[in-house]
Amino acid sequence: MKAFSYVDAKTEKEAVAALTPQFEQALAIGGGQDLLARMKDYITQPDRLVNTRNALDATVKKDSGGLRIGAAMTINDLAEQAQVAEMYPAITEAAIEVGTPQIRNQGTVGGNLNQRPRCWYFRNEEFVCFKKGGTTCFSITGENQFNAILGGGPSFIVHPSSLAVPMLAYGATFRILGPRGERLVPAAEYFTPPTTNVRVENVLAPDELLTHVILPAPGNVKSGHYEVRYKTSHDWPIAFATVLLRMDGNTVRSARVVMGAVAPIPWRSPAAEKALVGKPINPQTAAAAAEAALQGALPLTENAYKIDVAKTAVTRAILRAAGQQTA
Ligand SMILES: Cc1cc2nc3c(=O)[nH]c(=O)nc-3n(C[C@H](O)[C@H](O)[C@H](O)COP(=O)(O)OP(=O)(O)OC[C@H]3O[C@@H](n4cnc5c(N)ncnc54)[C@H](O)[C@@H]3O)c2cc1C
């Protein structure tokens, strides 16, 4: 690993002051699980690490009828917050399913939302792909079993954060702090596709930090979350979905359908949402919405199977949101 200096910041301002405008010259470190692995593999080689664990908020507080979650909170603590489970159950479900107990105990909310892609080519120093300043995406003709089926190109990574999907579904806003002050960015605008800047996955500048996730009052909404994995633990999902439903009696008044692990960003499907409005929820309407969600899917050579997996995740998340049984 390349030698680096270490700043143990004590306040958010101190942490921001230790960052620099140069790409990956100084990097925030939360639990370090993603960042240190990348450094050991020579994928990321910063000159300076800035510890955020003593600098950023690690609590959950009430905020205008919603909640404000500090980025230094561990995923485990998030999963155990009764207020989060009561108001935003899909976030709790996603948090509980992340990796393993050890990963949840060490990983932070800020680190989880800003973790880099798991694409095998990005993670292998031998492959200088788009994300590392190269001119190709090796997954297109290579091992692409877990890559994007929606919204891909020029890079076909999938976004790796489980928390991002329900947070986006609930309409979260992210508080960002930098040398120019704070800014509030909706989660829906925070994550950016490879066409915006193929090197990064979000709008954060190199000298900015994500400090809080601000969730609006959930209102009278029913939610469902469903993840499909090869293994029940110690792995990322192959595809998953968070669904929110607002009901008028037995029919859907409005819906929010967001999928994860299918695209370079958490992928909202207006087509699936439209397919649900005005309908009762049953296996047929749920399946029709899932069909709509995957309409534009363009699989690579080895990942067409993910279309069916994603349909299953969406169908079951819809049924769960309506309180109906799933397999
Ligand atoms: C076997 C395995 C299974 C896993 N399964 C899942 C899964 O199912 N779902 C899932 O979501 N994740 C999964 N993970 C990934 C794991 O959850 C993340 O690596 C972890 O959450 C990262 O958090 P951290 O605090 O350790 O991040 P760090 O490694 O400290 O940081 C990650 C990145 O975010 C940046 N960063 C950290 N904090 C901030 C901040 N406040 N503002 C701006 N940038 C910041 C860092 O600079 C770094 O680039 C898995 C990991 C493993 C090893």
Side-chain angles (χ1 to χ4, degrees), residues 55-247:
L56 299 186
D57 187 10
T59 66
V60 168
K61 290 197 182 70
K62 291 212 164 101
D63 185 289
S64 317
L67 293 180
R68 187 180 173 93
I69 300 169
M73 170 165 271
T74 66
I75 300 167
N76 200 41
D77 284 349
L78 178 69
E80 288 179 354
Q81 292 291 322
Q83 291 183 103
V84 176
E86 193 185 313
M87 296 167 75
Y88 313 99
I91 293 180
T92 303
E93 286 179 52
I96 287 170
E97 294 207 46
V98 168
T100 65
Q102 291 87 345
I103 289 164
R104 295 193 289 275
N105 200 40
Q106 181 70 13
T108 60
V109 169
N112 184 274
L113 293 168
N114 290 289
Q115 62 177 303
R116 303 298 312 276
R118 304 304 303 189
C119 175
W120 291 330
Y121 297 102
F122 172 66
R123 295 273 161 175
N124 186 325
E125 64 167 311
E126 308 281 327
F127 293 91
V128 184
C129 68
F130 278 126
K131 292 231 156 261
K132 290 181 281 193
T135 55
T136 190
C137 174
F138 294 94
S139 80
I140 295 171
T141 51
E143 299 286 342
N144 52 41
Q145 292 89 322
F146 302 112
N147 289 75
I149 52 172
L150 286 161
S155 160
F156 285 80
I157 60 127
V158 293
H159 201 278
S161 169
S162 294
L163 299 182
V165 169
M167 284 177 176
L168 194 144
Y170 284 115
T173 295
F174 293 164
R175 177 181 181 261
I176 294 171
L177 188 69
R180 298 158 295 280
E182 73 164 35
R183 57 189 181 120
L184 298 174
V185 177
E189 291 165 26
Y190 184 79
F191 301 102
T192 52
T195 43
T196 303
N197 175 356
V198 75
R199 296 293 302 268
V200 298
E201 293 80 46
N202 57 54
V203 299
L204 209 64
D207 53 3
E208 289 181 321
L209 285 174
L210 173 65
T211 70
H212 292 90
V213 174
I214 303 161
L215 291 154
N220 190 15
V221 75
K222 294 168 182 295
S223 68
H225 185 81
Y226 198 93
E227 303 193 0
V228 185
R229 287 181 155 77
Y230 268 124
K231 306 176 268 190
T232 51
S233 169
H234 211 266
D235 213 346
W236 279 261
I238 297 169
F240 64 107
T242 298
V243 170
L244 305 187
L245 299 175
R246 283 195 168 76
M247 305 295 290

